[in-house]
Amino acid sequence: MDPERNINPAGLRRDEQSRTVQSHARLNWWGCNDMPNGAGCDHLAGTAATEIDFSPWLVLSIHSVPADIAAGQQARITASLQNDSNGGTPPGPFFRPVLTTFTTNPGMVTPNPVLTNALLHASTTWPAGQPRPAPQVR
């Protein structure tokens, strides 16, 4: 259990042997783009690993306008979960906003953290006057 994020190491666990109910966990964000074996991903455990359909899953993308931020320049940074692992675009709106935290080294963004909108987009600003950013995706 991760007490900071209140999650179980298994993203989804199913231990019952009943096959009368078909389960799926499609179009979920599993904490990384490389489900089911990516480092830092939540994962399926127990019988869920073979009995629950999790594909396609949501994929994180990050875009900046302008795309190449020069030292001292302001930019709009957008994180999106509106694409899936099959290259599709899931229909929204999604039922619950996701708290998104942007991290950079060096520098900072504002506001931070940000809630996603109904289409799972979260945007923030890289303020002008900072060194060139080196963003990291976690």
Side-chain angles (χ1 to χ4, degrees):
M1 182 75 133
D2 179 341
E4 284 186 28
R5 296 188 337 189
N6 195 28
I7 61 171
N8 187 306
L12 181 61
R13 182 176 191 91
R14 179 176 173 183
D15 288 323
E16 64 190 60
Q17 296 299 318
S18 170
R19 295 175 194 260
T20 59
V21 177
Q22 200 169 29
S23 300
H24 77 80
R26 295 183 292 260
L27 299 177
N28 280 292
W29 168 244
W30 296 91
C32 73
N33 288 346
D34 297 320
M35 177 65 182
N37 298 317
C41 286
D42 286 338
H43 63 279
L44 303 175
T47 60
T50 58
E51 295 179 5
I52 296 179
D53 182 13
F54 61 87
S55 182
W57 56 88
L58 297 177
V59 174
L60 175 67
S61 63
I62 298 177
H63 299 31
S64 170
V65 176
D68 187 18
I69 306 169
Q73 186 177 28
Q74 178 174 312
R76 186 77 173 158
I77 312 293
T78 301
S80 173
L81 286 169
Q82 198 182 14
N83 295 298
D84 68 39
S85 59
N86 289 343
T89 303
F94 291 88
F95 63 93
R96 187 177 138 200
V98 175
L99 187 63
T100 307
T101 302
F102 292 85
T103 60
T104 63
N105 182 19
M108 58 93 168
V109 293
T110 184
N112 194 28
V114 182
L115 286 174
T116 56
N117 62 20
L119 296 176
L120 291 180
H121 292 203
S123 295
T124 190
T125 301
W126 176 266
Q130 298 189 95
R132 183 183 177 97
Q136 301 173 8
V137 177
R138 291 191 213 199

